[in-house]
Amino acid sequence: MTKPARMIDASVMFSDALGQRIGQIPADFDEKLAIGATYTTGGSYAGIKLDRAARLDRHDVNVTACLRGVVYEDDTKEEFK
């Protein structure tokens, strides 16, 4: 069953085509998000260097999302380990 979420605990990780880790940024939000919707955020993240990812060819950068937990609109919670 797929339910709308109102809060997530997540990160987005960047690595190169050889698997070398480039960096990671938080992808948490506390907003209602409809099923199938996209979420875009901006800003700066102190201490996180993603300059290398910006310089590489886009096909040489792998992006992985890691979802650790979610609170759904119906107040149920789910954690992923």
Side-chain angles (χ1 to χ4, degrees), residues 8 20 41 49 69:
I8 67 167
Q20 182 178 356
T41 187
K49 297 211 174 248

Side-chain angles (χ1 to χ4, degrees), residues 34-73:
I35 297 167
T38 60
Y39 182 78
T40 304
T41 187
S44 61
Y45 300 94
I48 299 174
K49 297 211 174 248
L50 296 175
D51 298 346
R52 182 165 178 249
R55 288 191 314 269
L56 291 173
D57 183 283
R58 64 182 270 168
H59 300 296
D60 290 333
V61 178
N62 299 308
V63 181
T64 305
C66 177
L67 179 63
R68 290 177 293 276
V70 62
V71 177
Y72 297 103
E73 278 296 308

